[in-house]
Amino acid sequence: AMAASTRLCDEHGREVVIGRTSGYWLSPADFVCSEESADVCDCLDGLGFPRDWPAVYSQSAALKSLVGKRGRIPSKRAAVAGVPTPEQKAKVPADLVCYRLQSFANAERVAQLAGLPVVRGWAVFERLDRPPGAAFVAERHWWNSFPDGSWVDMTPRPEAYPSLLLAEAANAAPKCRSVLSASDLLLAQRLMHVRFPQACASVSNGARVASAGAGASASASVCAAVGASASASSASTADASAAGTGPRPKPLNGSSKPTNGSSKASQLDYSKWSRLVDSDDEDEGAASAAAAPTERAPMEDVGAKDLAAGKEPRRQPPIPDYLVGNTGGGGGTNCFLSICKLFDADAAKEKAASNAHQLAQTLGKTFHYGLMDARRQRFYRDAIAALPAGAFVVVLGLGSVLPAMQVARRKQGKGVLLDMSTRLADLAREILKDNSLALPVTAVTEGLDKEDAVRKALAKHVPATAKQVVILTELMAPDLLSSGVVPACRAAHMAVKAVAPRATVQHLPQILELSATPIEVRSQRLGDFDVRAFNAFRHTSSNDKADLWWWPVRLDNQPETVVGALGPSLSLCGFDFDRSSEIALEEVRRNLMFTFDQKGRCNAIGLWWTAKFGDLEYSTRPRVAEKAPEPPGKGKDGTEEHSRSEWKQAVHYLAGETSVFVGDQMEVLVSIAPRFTVRMMQQSAFSVEAPQWVQAPSTAKISATLPILPYHFLMLTDLHRLEAYAAAIRDAVRQQRTRLKRRVRVLDAGCGLGLLGMTAALEGAEVWMCEAVPIMRQMCREVISANAKDIASKKGLVNLMPAMMSTRLQVGEDVPERFDVIVSEVMDIWCLGEGVIPTMRHAHQKLLAQGGVIIPSRLTIYVQPLELQLWAKAERDYQTKLTALGETFKAKFSPMRIQQFSHRMLCDEPAVALEIDLCDVPKRPADGAPNLQNLCIRMGGQPALRANISQMTVSTAGVLSGYGIWWEADLGNGHQLSNAPTSPQRSWKQLVRWLDKPRFVADGEPVQVLACYNENQVNVEDIHMTDDIVAQCQEQMAAAGAAAPQQQQQQQPELQQQQQQQPARPQAPQEQQQAQSRQPKKRQLGQSAPK
């Protein structure tokens, strides 16, 4: 018998017919239970995402028996796949349609149209009617993989499954096509009713029968509705209905129009903050206005409120400087010269300045990146090898060291190195001496752009009869100009011509060309949230002390961000240094007309430059600006070189955004000052201008050129961080709601953009957000406004408080009552530097309700000994000694991403150095009170809150360079967030605590560290006693032991005299026994004294 269901479609959207339609159909064989005796049909109800994830993956024996390597369905990889993001949807064709219960066909269609490989495996669910971790069900499921290895599942899923645990099968989980059977249709009916009840309820109960018979009666009861409905979890996929019935499928990136005949819902304005937003009330429309009001329980407030609206701001203490603005913008008159002057001034002081550590790190990073830039070193190596044999080479600046050393190695010709820094000149001499090289080095402290000073220095070294002089420099900056390369080359050129008039002057590089192109660098969504308002922070406004600047950005490394070149690049300016006498240093202004060949929203101009010498070329051009990206270069062994330019691209953000289409043009006024930098101003009209309140702060203490700190931009690319917090927040809110049987009250302390608080609001919680920095609070207001519709639809409420520190909140004055959940993310690379301890201590003691939870609740600091020599790779690759670099730029701590450097961990596992319970932070001990056994460990002159000694055993012999330090935050319910080297997060680097003198450690040797912390600092010290120190201590102990008997003999007559003068009193029997026990026992002859 053949019967057709008008509600179930095949993979092409056509009606299915039992016994005729062929395709991929789910059958009982596609379901596997961890309970071998369980019936598949009994397992379909009450399924959900595994509870206590990810801990359950390693702790549940039932889950391991199902998808473990030796389980019933062996798997080789497991990961959680959320609803497809807009960025993922943009990578597939817009007209792609996916259908419910058709994961096999959907995955193949995505692979065919988008070129994404199919991943075959299982979707794993937990039986929620069993105890946690007791029973699981796996359903055969296919999905797709992106080139970076991340997974995307385009098959529509119900709201109950915002996340799926997917396990890639070790045996590929094959699935064959078959003809639809009655049992397959009944199984589809059951799954549709369980997973999409609203869609099934919206479908009529009748069914068209193709032919009479037993099968027809079975088919007539089928209600397996498809069609886009509100229950679908993702707007990125749509379900097709039967031909001629039901709504048409929606494209992936499209929007559906209201059906004819239906009343059009009134437009909601969720950006209004003066009233509550209730989507249920407003969506009734004009037709429901005349109807009688529906009886229902009083509605809770939903949407968003600005609690500062219409109120006088409270007087607040000044905001800490470390929370306000940033001064790291580009531009300025020779920025590198300013850093070098500070570096020299610090050396002249008897006591190191407070910024000496930062200066050493900044310069050290510059040299390290230069040495690791393989394309740059190859350019200079080949260019120097092509120089005339007898040419005299003038090196302007130490640069990346290697070119200067190659000049010193030339067998013919002489040279000289000029540097603007005294300390860098001394460093150059040490490096040359260590490598047995000879090259005169002179410090020109007035600056390399001062022609008279350079001429005096060159007169001592350049022969007046020289015929060929080459001027070599690496003084380029991301914008080409800011380190003074143009005036320095011109000054050196004119000085050489004055010293050696008959010499032919050649420059390396000979030509520098600066290019510009219109680009978009924009944040759109992060996780579930619309963050487009944040892009306003990219449009820096001028203040009294700071002007518009460019920012160094590595355009090829901006995940979760829309980055693209919208048009061809134009030559902004160029310099032929062989004709330096013709170069003018005055400012030049010109208008550029950019033409767009891509659709987008232009908000910036990207700058990069190209250096040329003969046929050789080096460029900082990003891959996003290349129509056909060049393949990586080849190393000496024939393998691909993974190197990137030391110089990032200079991005000049405009004062707004402009929607552009192919063929559009945009006019920009450009100011080019060879001594200074490049500045730009858009002349064409903006689509959206930057708001007036986006302005870099300017106070007596700080004059910033960026309104916020740069790490906020980095966090907008860190989806892992948000997902970790979001999972913990959702679990906490749900548990508290189950416990309290009411709406949960949540505080987001230091909310930033408000993403964590809005996560709780999407769970229906009442959220209070507290942010101290006014400009960040204003941005939080804009972001909440953009997401208020979603918050209202989930019956959540957001209360944005006036700008204030959360430690100033008082129950009864600022907030009506205590909170059930308090969440905060104020950790930095040091873990405690942003005030997480005072924030959470106050929150736990003053703001948390009984039975409430705080997120995070515990912090753990880890240390692990490692072998990491920053200059070792360059020394090995280029056969040179760079010990002086490490000595000059030595720092106690260095922030770095350890995985990006060649290193070895000398212990198998890190050790726990400190554990901080944020629910029970110890009070500061009294001055002198012990905090580590009988010792008082101090930090900054005050006793530390707590100290600890950790011991590790070396498992791999090597040179102990220092200790890697990172932290882990316990977010509750098995959720953690860590900045460990292996973590995919992008917000925080790791710390390396360098040893003053690296030492060799053998396999099995113990190493110890002393760790301590106070309110906002962590310190780690290596505990190591050398043989000299041990011998010295033993001598002192021996001397003290020898002096003790003599001192006792001198004191004994005095004690006897005092006892004789005191009147005797009778002793009780108990006192007599105690006195006898205190008398020393006589030792036998030859018995040694106790130590």
Side-chain angles (χ1 to χ4, degrees):
M2 294 185 300
S5 168
T6 61
R7 303 306 178 195
L8 186 65
C9 299
D10 64 4
E11 62 195 62
H12 304 292
R14 297 188 294 261
E15 291 182 357
V16 298
V17 179
I18 297 175
R20 179 180 300 174
T21 305
S22 176
Y24 292 110
W25 311 110
L26 285 171
S27 66
D30 295 319
F31 295 83
V32 181
C33 305
S34 60
E35 300 168 304
E36 296 184 4
S37 59
D39 186 359
V40 171
C41 296
D42 297 334
C43 299
L44 298 182
D45 294 327
L47 299 180
F49 186 81
R51 292 167 289 188
D52 196 23
W53 177 263
V56 66
Y57 189 72
S58 58
Q59 298 174 1
S60 173
L63 184 57
K64 289 183 179 179
S65 68
L66 183 64
V67 297
K69 293 183 178 180
R70 300 180 181 179
R72 301 185 64 187
I73 46 172
S75 303
K76 57 184 179 181
R77 180 189 173 191
V80 176
V83 175
T85 64
E87 291 76 13
Q88 292 174 333
K89 290 181 287 185
K91 297 179 181 179
V92 299
D95 56 351
L96 175 66
V97 180
C98 295
Y99 301 89
R100 294 170 179 158
L101 307 184
Q102 291 281 351
S103 72
F104 314 107
N106 293 338
E108 287 186 343
R109 187 178 297 107
V110 172
Q112 180 181 5
L113 299 180
L116 303 180
V118 176
V119 183
R120 297 169 175 83
W122 306 84
V124 184
F125 307 91
E126 184 176 8
R127 295 192 63 176
L128 303 182
D129 57 346
R130 297 287 194 272
F136 297 85
V137 176
E139 174 185 342
R140 199 182 306 272
H141 196 84
W142 291 358
W143 59 96
N144 299 90
S145 173
F146 285 110
D148 61 357
S150 60
W151 289 347
V152 60
D153 178 25
M154 305 302 295
T155 299
R157 63 182 73 166
E159 289 182 341
Y161 301 156
S163 298
L164 280 182
L165 174 58
L166 302 177
E168 183 179 3
N171 59 358
K175 176 68 176 177
C176 299
R177 290 179 175 271
S178 61
V179 177
L180 178 69
S181 66
S183 61
D184 295 337
L185 192 59
L186 291 175
L187 179 59
Q189 170 195 5
R190 176 74 178 278
L191 291 173
M192 291 293 297
H193 273 292
V194 170
R195 298 180 179 177
F196 306 97
Q198 296 180 6
C200 292
S202 66
V203 178
S204 60
N205 293 327
R208 179 172 60 86
V209 180
S211 62
S217 62
S219 177
S221 64
V222 173
C223 177
V226 294
S229 67
S231 65
S233 66
S234 172
S236 66
T237 54
D239 301 324
S241 64
T245 62
R248 298 296 301 168
K250 294 186 295 183
L252 284 171
N253 58 354
S255 59
S256 60
K257 297 181 180 180
T259 307
N260 294 336
S262 62
S263 61
K264 185 176 180 180
S266 59
Q267 182 68 26
L268 302 182
D269 184 6
Y270 288 97
S271 63
K272 297 179 180 179
W273 297 73
S274 59
R275 61 182 179 85
L276 299 177
V277 176
D278 187 344
S279 60
D280 285 348
D281 290 340
E282 292 193 356
D283 276 344
E284 297 295 333
S288 63
T294 305
E295 294 184 4
R296 58 180 179 179
M299 293 294 297
E300 295 177 314
D301 291 350
V302 297
K305 295 179 181 179
D306 186 353
L307 301 184
K311 296 182 179 179
E312 290 293 330
R314 291 176 52 185
R315 182 177 179 82
Q316 298 291 333
I319 301 170
D321 288 344
Y322 65 82
L323 293 179
V324 183
N326 178 67
T327 57
T333 305
N334 208 332
C335 299
F336 188 71
L337 175 60
S338 302
I339 296 176
C340 291
K341 287 184 175 180
L342 291 173
F343 195 53
D344 288 351
D346 177 68
K349 298 178 181 178
E350 296 181 359
K351 184 179 179 181
S354 59
N355 62 345
H357 180 70
Q358 288 83 356
L359 288 172
Q361 286 187 352
T362 300
L363 285 172
K365 184 186 299 184
T366 300
F367 280 95
H368 187 269
Y369 284 161
L371 286 166
M372 294 296 101
D373 189 346
R375 292 190 298 114
R376 168 181 175 179
Q377 297 303 333
R378 185 166 57 247
F379 170 79
Y380 278 97
R381 180 195 64 203
D382 295 345
I384 294 174
L387 295 179
F392 188 97
V393 181
V394 178
V395 182
L396 296 181
L398 180 56
S400 60
V401 179
L402 296 178
M405 295 179 64
Q406 187 176 352
V407 170
R409 289 192 177 101
R410 297 176 73 234
K411 296 181 180 180
Q412 295 180 349
K414 299 180 180 180
V416 64
L417 189 153
L418 306 182
D419 203 290
M420 64 189 80
S421 166
T422 302
R423 293 186 68 180
L424 292 183
D426 294 339
L427 171 62
R429 297 186 186 97
E430 291 183 38
I431 295 175
L432 292 169
K433 181 180 178 181
D434 292 342
N435 290 273
S436 302
L437 297 174
L439 183 69
V441 179
T442 301
V444 184
T445 56
E446 297 88 347
L448 297 180
D449 58 339
K450 300 299 188 289
E451 184 179 334
D452 292 341
V454 173
R455 184 177 64 251
K456 291 179 182 179
L458 292 181
K460 302 177 182 179
H461 302 283
V462 179
T465 59
K467 298 181 180 180
Q468 187 83 27
V469 177
V470 177
I471 300 175
L472 183 151
T473 187
E474 299 177 78
L475 287 176
M476 288 77 80
D479 71 328
L480 179 64
L481 305 177
S482 292
S483 292
V485 62
V486 176
C489 287
R490 186 183 185 279
H493 186 101
M494 303 305 293
V496 169
K497 295 298 290 183
V499 173
R502 298 181 180 180
T504 300
V505 183
Q506 190 177 10
H507 287 259
L508 197 178
Q510 176 190 350
I511 296 175
L512 287 176
E513 181 180 3
L514 182 62
S515 301
T517 194
I519 61 174
E520 61 176 338
V521 184
R522 301 172 55 252
S523 302
Q524 290 194 5
R525 295 192 68 85
L526 188 66
D528 297 330
F529 304 110
D530 182 345
V531 294
R532 287 175 295 178
F534 179 80
N535 293 309
F537 274 158
R538 303 182 190 274
H539 313 298
T540 53
S541 306
S542 61
N543 56 34
D544 295 338
K545 299 181 181 180
D547 208 338
L548 301 175
W549 309 98
W550 55 264
W551 293 97
V553 179
R554 204 173 293 281
L555 292 175
D556 293 329
N557 188 26
Q558 299 294 318
E560 306 299 329
T561 306
V562 178
V563 179
L566 301 178
S569 60
L570 299 179
S571 178
L572 198 61
C573 59
F575 302 94
D576 184 348
F577 291 118
D578 287 357
R579 301 166 58 185
S580 292
S581 59
E582 303 174 21
I583 296 177
L585 301 180
E586 290 76 19
E587 179 189 13
V588 176
R589 295 192 177 190
R590 55 180 295 201
N591 287 336
L592 284 182
M593 188 67 70
F594 291 102
T595 302
F596 296 94
D597 58 10
Q598 299 289 332
K599 176 184 175 182
R601 296 184 66 85
C602 179
N603 66 340
I605 304 295
L607 305 177
W608 54 86
W609 49 265
T610 301
K612 298 179 180 180
F613 183 80
D615 296 333
L616 302 175
E617 181 177 306
Y618 171 86
S619 178
T620 62
R621 179 176 55 250
R623 290 192 300 272
V624 298
E626 297 175 353
K627 302 301 180 183
E630 296 178 1
K634 297 292 183 179
K636 296 179 181 179
D637 57 354
T639 59
E640 291 187 354
E641 288 183 347
H642 297 279
S643 73
R644 59 182 183 180
S645 168
E646 171 205 344
W647 295 287
K648 301 178 182 179
Q649 291 76 46
V651 174
H652 199 301
Y653 288 109
L654 303 171
E657 292 183 0
T658 305
S659 297
V660 296
F661 298 87
V662 176
D664 287 354
Q665 290 187 321
M666 181 178 71
E667 185 179 6
V668 175
L669 174 63
V670 182
S671 168
I672 305 171
R675 288 186 178 275
F676 188 61
T677 185
V678 177
R679 292 183 292 175
M680 298 186 177
M681 180 180 297
Q682 182 172 332
Q683 302 295 95
S684 306
F686 292 100
S687 300
V688 178
E689 293 192 28
Q692 293 295 324
W693 53 268
V694 178
Q695 187 174 13
S698 177
T699 64
K701 291 186 177 181
I702 182 172
S703 174
T705 53
L706 186 69
I708 58 172
L709 295 169
Y711 66 77
H712 288 102
F713 293 93
L714 189 62
M715 287 185 172
L716 258 291
T717 68
D718 192 351
L719 184 59
H720 174 81
R721 163 184 166 271
L722 177 60
E723 288 179 340
Y725 258 98
I729 292 170
R730 284 192 289 263
D731 286 351
V733 171
R734 292 168 184 171
Q735 291 176 356
Q736 291 294 314
R737 183 169 56 236
T738 302
R739 181 179 71 89
L740 299 171
K741 309 298 182 184
R742 61 166 174 80
R743 174 187 267 182
V744 180
R745 292 172 48 79
V746 179
L747 171 66
D748 186 355
C751 64
L753 295 184
L755 303 185
L756 304 185
M758 287 191 295
T759 300
L762 291 180
E763 290 294 323
E766 179 183 354
V767 181
W768 296 67
M769 293 188 179
C770 185
E771 173 57 48
V773 181
I775 193 170
M776 182 58 73
R777 181 196 175 276
Q778 179 69 23
M779 181 55 70
C780 177
R781 185 181 192 270
E782 300 297 322
V783 174
I784 294 173
S785 175
N787 295 275
K789 181 178 179 180
D790 294 335
I791 294 172
S793 67
K794 299 296 184 180
K795 302 297 185 266
L797 174 64
V798 171
N799 298 294
L800 182 60
M801 306 183 68
M804 63 188 305
M805 302 283 286
S806 67
T807 52
R808 304 274 296 178
L809 289 178
Q810 298 180 17
V811 176
E813 181 177 348
D814 302 298
V815 294
E817 51 187 315
R818 291 175 176 254
F819 298 95
D820 308 309
V821 178
I822 298 178
V823 60
S824 182
E825 192 281 272
V826 287
M827 290 86 72
D828 67 346
I829 188 175
W830 294 87
C831 189
L832 308 181
E834 292 186 11
V836 63
I837 284 184
T839 297
M840 301 310 267
R841 175 196 284 140
H842 175 267
H844 185 267
Q845 295 177 355
K846 304 293 185 182
L847 304 175
L848 188 65
Q850 185 175 4
V853 296
I854 62 174
I855 303 174
S857 60
R858 180 180 294 272
L859 301 172
T860 305
I861 311 293
Y862 291 96
V863 298
Q864 191 168 5
L866 80 164
E867 179 182 271
L868 195 162
Q869 300 177 14
L870 288 177
W871 318 103
K873 187 176 186 305
E875 289 181 327
R876 182 176 62 253
D877 293 346
Y878 299 107
Q879 298 297 310
T880 186
K881 296 180 181 180
L882 301 173
T883 307
L885 281 174
E887 294 296 329
T888 303
F889 304 120
K890 181 184 295 184
K892 184 176 181 180
F893 291 92
S894 292
M896 61 196 323
R897 299 194 187 275
I898 295 176
Q899 292 294 92
Q900 295 181 357
F901 297 85
S902 177
H903 71 283
R904 287 196 307 163
M905 294 296 183
L906 302 183
C907 290
D908 292 334
E909 297 292 336
V912 175
L914 294 168
E915 289 187 284
I916 306 171
D917 185 355
L918 295 177
C919 298
D920 185 22
V921 179
K923 296 182 179 179
R924 184 185 299 278
D927 193 13
N931 50 18
L932 176 65
Q933 299 178 0
N934 295 326
L935 301 176
C936 178
I937 306 299
R938 294 177 176 272
M939 295 182 65
Q942 299 292 331
L945 295 181
R946 187 162 292 173
N948 181 52
I949 294 179
S950 303
Q951 179 168 312
M952 295 152 282
T953 301
V954 175
S955 59
T956 302
V959 177
L960 178 61
S961 307
Y963 295 90
I965 306 173
W966 56 86
W967 50 262
E968 181 180 83
D970 185 359
L971 307 181
N973 293 309
H975 302 288
Q976 291 91 22
L977 178 64
S978 174
N979 71 328
T982 56
S983 172
Q985 61 81 29
R986 292 173 48 84
S987 299
W988 303 279
K989 299 179 181 179
Q990 298 84 45
L991 280 172
V992 174
R993 170 61 167 96
W994 300 104
L995 266 62
D996 293 337
K997 292 184 178 180
R999 67 177 187 273
F1000 177 81
V1001 290
D1003 186 7
E1005 179 179 341
V1007 292
Q1008 290 182 326
V1009 295
L1010 169 65
C1012 53
Y1013 70 92
N1014 58 16
E1015 295 281 338
N1016 52 18
Q1017 287 182 333
V1018 173
N1019 191 34
V1020 174
E1021 297 289 345
D1022 176 49
I1023 301 177
H1024 176 64
M1025 297 184 67
T1026 62
D1027 294 339
D1028 296 340
I1029 297 178
V1030 173
Q1032 184 179 359
C1033 291
Q1034 290 177 346
E1035 292 177 359
Q1036 293 177 353
M1037 293 173 64
Q1046 298 178 2
Q1047 187 176 4
Q1048 292 179 358
Q1049 292 177 2
Q1050 295 176 357
Q1051 294 177 352
Q1052 188 170 5
E1054 299 178 359
L1055 293 175
Q1056 292 177 354
Q1057 184 178 2
Q1058 293 177 2
Q1059 292 176 358
Q1060 293 174 0
Q1061 293 177 356
Q1062 293 179 355
R1065 69 177 181 86
Q1067 291 182 339
Q1070 183 178 3
E1071 292 178 342
Q1072 293 178 1
Q1073 294 178 0
Q1074 294 176 353
Q1076 292 175 0
S1077 65
R1078 287 194 296 266
Q1079 293 178 358
K1081 297 180 179 180
K1082 295 182 178 180
R1083 298 194 306 272
Q1084 299 294 329
L1085 184 64
Q1087 183 178 355
S1088 60
K1091 295 183 181 179

